[in-house]
Amino acid sequence: MRKIAEHLYPFESHRLDLDGLKLHYLDEGEGEVVVAVHGNPTWSFYYRDLVRDLRVDHRVVVPDHIGCGLSDKPGDDRYDYTMSRRIADFGRLMDELELAEINLVVHDWGGMIGLAWAVRHPERIKRLVVLNTAAFHLPKSKPFPWQLGLARTPLGPLMVRGFNAFSRCASHLAVTRKKLSSEIRDAYCAPYDSWNDRIATLRFVQDVPLKPGDRGYDIVSDTAARLDVFRDRPVLVCWGDRDFVFDHHFLEVWRQVYPDAEVHRYPDCGHYILEDAGEEIIPLIRQFVTDAV
């Protein structure tokens, strides 16, 4: 992959062996634990500014899912690119690092992966930070976005793996308040610079369960049914209203699940909410994970 400029990603790399595959993660700072989970097609780079801010007085752990970022990118013959495997991998990292009293930050697929694990280990979760994500099925009022549907057609492999369309388009369309510099866009796409290295980007889109019987559908149902286990924990929601996938339909579900959550909406911001409004949101997260409960 292309080299990432050190001033953009000034972190020490760590790796966990998962049955011969290396899962890359950041483990920065000391203090109260913050675990941030990324989605598709991002990687730990998405949380770089949050890590730099919090590592001064917190321990911040950010994994790259297998196939993403600086983790290994095996073929289908060596790795099962499924939701259940993602959740298991995340759990192995949490157990290996013996993390508890976790402040869990989730975005995009990170919500499904992180919270599917968390609802099964609620005693290890202290607070939740929700950033344009879901841990439940597509709301009935929300049509499945045609852009994602297109990636699930026979054209998907050519577009996503051949032309890196998913990652490249996201670096433009997922920010709506301000444009990303070419350097930042290139950094987002750097881990996905060949057909082989884009396998996870495609598999994530293909793995979205939409109806009973789809692989992973029961996991989503079970997770959604257990989310209320965190109603006694502090929850912070920061939401970009111009996200064409995780839009107001999803936000309304979160409001129903966590009626006492602290919610901040950003009408001019998109899916990459930390890129559009990081200078506003990171101080909110800092205050939220620092306040005594």
Side-chain angles (χ1 to χ4, degrees):
M1 61 171 279
R2 301 182 188 92
K3 183 176 177 58
I4 307 297
E6 187 174 351
H7 72 276
L8 292 179
Y9 195 76
F11 309 116
E12 180 182 355
S13 290
H14 302 267
R15 287 177 172 81
L16 173 67
D17 187 282
L18 295 177
D19 306 317
L21 297 174
K22 295 297 190 295
L23 183 141
H24 173 268
Y25 65 96
L26 303 180
D27 190 349
E28 297 276 320
E30 297 180 357
E32 192 165 342
V33 175
V34 176
V35 176
V37 194
H38 74 81
N40 184 44
T42 59
W43 54 291
S44 54
F45 182 78
Y46 178 71
Y47 290 112
R48 66 195 182 282
D49 292 333
L50 182 67
V51 174
R52 277 189 284 214
D53 183 278
L54 292 181
R55 68 180 176 179
V56 175
D57 50 9
H58 291 73
R59 181 182 180 185
V60 191
V61 175
V62 188
D64 285 332
H65 307 302
I66 292 293
C68 302
L70 304 184
S71 289
D72 284 352
K73 301 177 179 66
D76 291 310
D77 58 329
R78 296 187 60 208
Y79 186 76
D80 186 23
Y81 284 94
T82 61
M83 187 187 306
S84 59
R85 180 62 191 268
R86 300 294 192 186
I87 297 163
D89 290 348
F90 180 73
R92 288 179 65 176
L93 179 63
M94 296 301 97
D95 291 346
E96 176 70 21
L97 300 182
E98 299 181 337
L99 300 181
E101 293 290 297
I102 296 168
N103 295 283
L104 185 63
V105 182
V106 293
H107 177 253
D108 191 86
W109 263 97
M112 192 65 246
I113 296 166
L115 284 167
W117 175 84
V119 297
R120 291 157 180 78
H121 304 276
E123 73 285 354
R124 295 170 71 174
I125 303 299
K126 187 171 184 178
R127 306 179 184 92
L128 297 179
V129 178
V130 174
L131 309 171
N132 286 74
T133 187
F136 41 80
H137 292 295
L138 184 75
K140 292 181 179 180
S141 58
K142 168 71 176 177
F144 189 65
W146 67 265
Q147 298 92 331
L148 298 185
L150 185 61
R152 290 160 66 99
T153 71
L155 288 174
L158 177 63
M159 295 187 305
V160 177
R161 299 188 71 177
F163 295 101
N164 205 16
F166 200 75
S167 185
R168 279 288 169 195
C169 288
S171 70
H172 289 276
L173 300 178
V175 289
T176 56
R177 175 184 283 185
K178 59 185 179 183
K179 292 182 178 181
L180 295 180
S181 69
S182 59
E183 185 179 42
I184 298 295
R185 292 198 308 271
D186 288 346
Y188 269 114
C189 299
Y192 312 115
D193 60 356
S194 72
W195 175 279
N196 290 337
D197 287 351
R198 296 167 192 155
I199 184 170
T201 308
L202 179 62
R203 295 291 180 262
F204 266 120
V205 179
Q206 294 172 329
D207 200 39
V208 177
L210 296 176
K211 61 184 186 301
D214 284 353
R215 187 175 62 183
Y217 190 91
D218 290 344
I219 296 174
V220 180
S221 298
D222 181 68
T223 301
R226 299 192 199 192
L227 287 175
D228 61 0
V229 73
F230 298 123
R231 284 196 175 184
D232 63 342
R233 319 293 160 87
V235 178
L236 172 67
V237 178
C238 295
W239 205 263
D241 282 345
R242 294 187 64 186
D243 188 334
F244 70 88
V245 177
F246 297 104
D247 58 11
H248 66 94
H249 298 277
F250 287 88
L251 178 58
E252 288 311 308
V253 177
W254 284 117
R255 286 184 180 275
Q256 293 168 22
V257 173
Y258 301 125
D260 297 325
E262 177 185 343
V263 179
H264 297 264
R265 297 181 69 171
Y266 299 86
D268 60 337
C269 294
H271 182 56
Y272 287 6
I273 184 66
L274 288 182
E275 296 293 350
D276 267 338
E279 66 278 2
E280 299 169 53
I281 293 173
I282 290 173
L284 289 174
I285 296 176
R286 161 167 283 285
Q287 181 179 14
F288 180 73
V289 301
T290 302
D291 286 347
V293 177

